[in-house]
Amino acid sequence: MNTTPIRVAVTGAAGQIGYSLLFRIASGAMFGPNQPVILHLIEIEPALPALNGVVMELDDCAFPLLKGVVPTASLDEGFRGVNWALLVGSVPRKAGMERKDLLGINGKIFIGQGQAIQKNAASDVRILVVGNPCNTNCLIAMNNAPQIPKDRWHAMTRLDENRAKSQLAKKAGVDITAVTNVAVWGNHSSTQYPDFVHAKISGKGVTDVIKDEAWLKGDFISSVQQRGAAIIKARGASSAASAANAVVDSVASIVNPTAPGDWHSVCIHSDGSYGIEKGLITSFPVRSDGKKLEIVQGLAIDPFSQSKIDTTIAELKEEKSLVSDLLPK
Ligand SMILES: NC(=O)c1ccc[n+]([C@@H]2O[C@H](COP(=O)([O-])OP(=O)(O)OC[C@H]3O[C@@H](n4cnc5c(N)ncnc54)[C@H](O)[C@@H]3O)[C@@H](O)[C@H]2O)c1
Ligand SMILES: O=C(O)C[C@H](O)C(=O)O
């Protein structure tokens, strides 16, 4: 048992995702069964009464690994000394909207949060942005915290990876664990490219197992791209439990070594790999050695994949230009 707890800040802690996420972190699902945690729960002032109810429920779980809870509306207090900052708090889209339509409402939240993380967090802080549009919100926070190394910033496409795996497993009639090497490229948006070309089923290329190329190039991609919207239509609210599960998966895959030969998807600061503009927060296939992430290099990108990647990167550039006034010069 480690004796020093990891301090984890969660913004929007009284929201839908928060309600699924906090209990998973406190139970040990994110950092393992021997790692104590202290939760810093950040909400806006009007949500503090609801947050108080969530804190009561956390108490009532008597989690052995939960060594403290700090509920607050103060960004300074909330981010003080934290090792991880999970930026969930922001407004979800409604039916008929694209995620980038939220930039005007949500973008500015990430200026103050980036600044407060830089001022208060532990020197080893790592950040995962979930609130949409998560890539560009992460770009805003990162650029407002220039002293934090760029490789600490992440935005979430693990939900898309998990969705893609589930679709491929169903189509091939195999267990979900047989599907590996699923890369999501680009933006967490309807332009993202879930890459079936490099994905594997039981170690074989997906195209050797699923012969229906029209499905792979058509319904597979669009169903992953549109899954968030389909859930909003069906539930009247955006995905929450599956999103929280993807947050747990994302962090666990960053802090633990990746299985040999496999990779996962997360959005990180582009270093120019695969010709993608430096500095954009872009989803790549990544591997971890338990300490550091690296972009998987050397994948051959065929013309079909390249055109999909070009489209999603063009959208990220467009989003960046829309928020230029939120990025310090
Ligand atoms: N990246 C992904 O894969 C993914 C998946 C699902 C949802 N999301 C996004 O996550 C976000 C949260 O979704 P939800 O369903 O939990 O929404 P929700 O409305 O249920 O909860 C959001 C919470 O954030 C709080 N909040 C708002 N502004 C805040 C601020 N400045 N500081 C702290 N807290 C603040 C609200 O009070 C609310 O409690 C949305 O933007 C949604 O689109 C992303
Ligand atoms: O689609 C949304 O707006 C919510 C979330 O980003 C999702 O992918 O489910």
Side-chain angles (χ1 to χ4, degrees), residues 39-116:
L39 288 172
H40 291 223
L41 308 182
I42 303 175
E43 261 295 353
I44 50 174
E45 221 43 75
L48 288 181
L51 184 62
N52 189 37
V54 178
V55 174
M56 287 192 254
E57 288 202 71
L58 282 165
D59 286 346
D60 295 350
C61 291
F63 286 118
L65 292 172
L66 185 59
K67 301 305 179 194
V69 181
V70 182
T72 183
S74 154
L75 294 181
D76 284 340
E77 186 185 15
F79 289 123
R80 192 160 298 134
V82 300
N83 311 102
W84 271 94
L86 309 176
L87 307 186
V88 180
S90 52
V91 176
R93 66 177 165 152
K94 306 275 181 308
M97 293 170 79
E98 288 293 336
R99 295 177 187 96
K100 67 183 165 201
D101 297 338
L102 295 168
L103 266 182
I105 313 171
N106 289 339
K108 51 189 178 295
I109 295 175
F110 292 84
I111 299 176
Q113 292 191 355
Q115 291 167 344

Side-chain angles (χ1 to χ4, degrees), residues 92-93 99 132 159-160 163 188 227-229 231-232 238-239:
R93 66 177 165 152
R99 295 177 187 96
N132 277 320
L159 181 53
D160 309 294
R163 287 168 172 164
H188 173 64
R227 188 69 160 187
I231 289 167
I232 291 170
S238 67
S239 64

Side-chain angles (χ1 to χ4, degrees), residues 11-23:
T11 67
Q16 290 200 88
I17 295 176
Y19 196 64
S20 289
L21 176 61
L22 303 179
F23 301 87

Side-chain angles (χ1 to χ4, degrees), residues 8 10 22 31 35 46 78 135 140-141 155 157 173 200 229 251 302 304 321:
V8 187
V10 180
L22 303 179
F31 296 105
Q35 176 58 60
N135 298 59
I140 294 167
T157 42
K200 293 184 179 161
V251 175
D302 64 16
F304 175 83
S321 71

Side-chain angles (χ1 to χ4, degrees), residues 184-311:
V184 172
W185 298 86
N187 199 3
H188 173 64
S189 77
S190 55
T191 64
Q192 67 179 275
Y193 174 48
D195 178 349
F196 60 87
V197 176
H198 297 100
K200 293 184 179 161
I201 293 178
S202 304
K204 290 188 190 158
V206 157
T207 50
D208 293 331
V209 179
I210 299 173
K211 303 288 185 190
D212 188 349
E213 193 186 336
W215 180 82
L216 287 168
K217 288 186 165 173
D219 285 355
F220 164 67
I221 294 176
S222 59
S223 72
V224 177
Q225 290 174 332
Q226 296 297 334
R227 188 69 160 187
I231 289 167
I232 291 170
K233 193 164 169 225
R235 251 172 50 85
S238 67
S239 64
S242 58
N245 179 65
V247 176
V248 172
D249 283 352
S250 299
V251 175
S253 293
I254 291 168
V255 300
N256 293 302
T258 310
D262 202 0
W263 56 66
H264 292 292
S265 301
V266 73
C267 311
I268 57 174
H269 174 258
S270 171
D271 62 357
S273 292
Y274 295 96
I276 292 170
E277 179 176 298
K278 278 191 185 176
L280 288 178
I281 298 288
T282 306
S283 187
F284 284 105
V286 298
R287 294 182 48 75
S288 175
D289 63 4
K291 292 198 169 61
K292 236 179 148 16
L293 278 188
E294 60 175 23
I295 297 171
V296 174
Q297 298 295 338
L299 298 177
I301 308 294
D302 64 16
F304 175 83
S305 302
Q306 189 62 57
S307 78
K308 296 285 178 196
I309 292 172
D310 290 347
T311 301

